[in-house]
Amino acid sequence: MQFGVVLQNDPPAWRVVDLAQRAETYGFTHVWTFDSHLLWQEPYVVYSQILAHTHRVTVGPMVTNPATRDWTVTASLFATLNDMFGPRTICGIGRGDSAVRVINGRPVTLAHLREAIGVIRGLANGDEVDYKGNRLRFPWTTGSPLPVWTAAYGPKALALTGEVADGFILQLADPAITEWSIAAVRKAAVDAGRDPSAITICVAAPAYVTDGTDAGLAHGRDQCRWFGGMVGNHVADIVARYGTDGGGVPKALSDYIAAREGYDYNSHGKAGNAHTDFVPDGVIDRFCLIGPPDEQVRRLDELRSLGVDQFALYLQHDAKDSTLAAYGERVIPQVNLRGAARS
């Protein structure tokens, strides 16, 4: 299993670079960041420094969107980084959340997202694409592989992922929802004539390594409760479209937002967000990985058995350094056991 870490571009930017360096040292393969230009610093500037100060990790946004940047600009950013540092970038993309809502925008349509994926990936790969009535390509690059992974929750977004994306990002770690979502993506891939095994499956969620005590568990839950609020923004859109009865959406995904009253994007992705009090402990336990190293390994083995290729842990809490260390020293080695040199 691959491991990624999801960081926020909070200043100082060099702290983000430092966390990325340490993540690589501990065996993480991917470094992701939020992409919300008003709430945090510009990610692509930070990516250039992460790539310059690491050796192997792949970097990218979790996730960008087609609304706040022109698609050709997004493609140019990736193509430039790949030209400078080799094919070490990845484009996580979705319909848009905080980056568009903070400026009173709305998430784009799935048709808009589908077209954007084609343009961004095509240009970054050195191909000629159709864009606003023109045939365009980058004359300064021969292209390099840019995987595009789509973040999705609802049935139609999952179908789009299976039809066109190189990877699928599910931002929660609930086993039942994970199993349902992966099945939907793979069915869409088969229906589109694609090999479903060619789509990389990434589950992204907070991980908080505790000491095994009840007090440690309670503290870890409170540090990760913000995540239920963030997911709730997307679930609210799904409920508005499909409802809570039928529509093919699992109740495990839709029911918990019944007490949701609003959301403050000024506290987006932050521990202690007061607008996430509606999220019960049971949801945090299902959506996140909270517990001692052995429990982390058990949950990861379960996710892997469902077809998950990468676990990307959100590192937005008060135990950034200790979580990285625990994963590097006690969790990742247990999940990815090495064979003996001699039998």
Side-chain angles (χ1 to χ4, degrees), residues 44-59 77-89 144:
Y44 292 93
V45 176
V46 179
Y47 295 159
S48 69
Q49 294 303 311
I50 292 175
L51 290 167
H53 289 82
T54 56
H55 304 283
R56 298 173 301 279
V57 292
T58 297
V59 304
L77 289 165
F78 283 111
T80 300
L81 290 172
N82 281 347
D83 187 63
M84 293 176 67
F85 300 104
R88 294 174 58 198
T89 67
S144 59

Side-chain angles (χ1 to χ4, degrees), residues 142-210:
T142 56
S144 59
L146 176 68
V148 178
W149 293 9
T150 304
Y153 291 107
K156 292 184 178 179
L158 294 170
L160 170 66
T161 301
E163 291 163 4
V164 303
D166 301 300
F168 165 46
I169 298 171
L170 176 63
Q171 291 166 301
L172 54 80
D174 176 88
I177 298 173
T178 298
E179 185 175 22
W180 172 79
S181 302
I182 292 173
V185 168
R186 288 178 171 168
K187 180 182 183 303
V190 171
D191 291 345
R194 302 182 66 199
D195 177 4
S197 66
I199 301 173
T200 304
I201 308 296
C202 173
V203 160
Y208 198 100
V209 181
T210 72

